[in-house]
Amino acid sequence: DPYLLRGNCRNTLNICKAVEKWTGIELECLDDAPIGHEVEEIQCTNPTAIHEALECVLEELIDQRGLKPTDLVVLGAHSLQNTSLRKKGPIQIGNFELREGKEATEQQIPYYTYMQFKGCEKPVAILLDVNKNDERWREPMALLTAMTRAKSMLYVLLYPI
């Protein structure tokens, strides 16, 4: 018989709260789940602003906090070449290289669509080009899937496409 797991034991309380705020879906986080870092929402107005915001986040996480590229994932609704970064292949973000997930080495930051990364998790997830006018982000389950890939830190880069 199937056994339903009702308690969320993957995410921090702050990530659970952000999921509820964005989707209206209540996650039943465990009572003893850590509070965690505040979810950071960064409003960007153009592709240059997205690039700069992503560079700042990566510098903070890797250069200042000492995380490894393997601790992070960048998630979007579209293939990398169809994001605001609009380039096929590796993308240079400051001192870091962003690459399609399965092609990324341990020194590169992996990028996946949220559907490609469904069922996976990383300590840190950075959501790219989030826009509720984009049909792929419009569905609450899409946001829930993307947001809950982060175990402890979540960044949401908002972009009006």
Side-chain angles (χ1 to χ4, degrees):
D1 291 335
Y3 180 79
L4 296 177
L5 300 174
R6 298 193 186 276
N8 177 329
C9 56
R10 172 184 284 167
N11 309 114
T12 65
L13 292 174
N14 280 330
I15 292 172
C16 290
K17 287 178 192 173
V19 167
E20 186 173 339
K21 171 187 159 191
W22 277 79
T23 67
I25 299 169
E26 185 177 346
L27 295 181
E28 295 180 29
C29 281
L30 300 179
D31 292 336
D32 60 348
I35 294 171
H37 298 272
E38 289 289 328
V39 172
E40 290 200 38
E41 297 175 11
I42 304 168
Q43 183 67 54
C44 302
T45 56
N46 57 52
T48 301
I50 284 275
H51 193 278
E52 291 170 356
L54 184 55
E55 182 178 353
C56 287
V57 169
L58 294 175
E59 284 177 357
E60 176 191 335
L61 295 170
I62 295 171
D63 293 343
Q64 296 170 18
R65 293 184 187 230
L67 276 77
K68 299 177 195 155
T70 54
D71 294 328
L72 296 101
V73 65
V74 177
L75 300 173
H78 302 275
S79 65
L80 187 53
Q81 67 192 25
N82 291 317
T83 66
S84 62
L85 303 175
R86 292 199 187 355
K87 186 176 176 194
K88 192 170 186 172
I91 296 174
Q92 198 67 34
I93 307 287
N95 296 326
F96 311 101
E97 194 171 289
L98 186 65
R99 189 172 190 105
E100 293 283 353
K102 293 180 181 177
E103 299 172 11
T105 68
E106 289 187 9
Q107 290 76 40
Q108 296 168 322
I109 310 298
Y111 174 88
Y112 291 91
T113 65
Y114 62 80
M115 286 304 293
Q116 289 171 325
F117 207 67
K118 189 174 182 177
C120 301
E121 59 188 31
K122 289 277 185 174
V124 180
I126 303 164
L127 307 189
L128 185 68
D129 295 347
V130 175
N131 181 326
K132 288 217 176 178
N133 292 324
D134 180 332
E135 68 182 60
R136 293 190 183 183
W137 285 120
R138 194 174 301 139
E139 290 297 318
M141 289 305 291
L143 281 165
L144 180 137
T145 298
M147 296 175 92
T148 57
R149 302 308 93 201
K151 292 191 325 187
S152 56
M153 296 175 78
L154 176 62
Y155 294 80
V156 182
L157 303 183
L158 303 155
Y159 180 57
I161 296 175

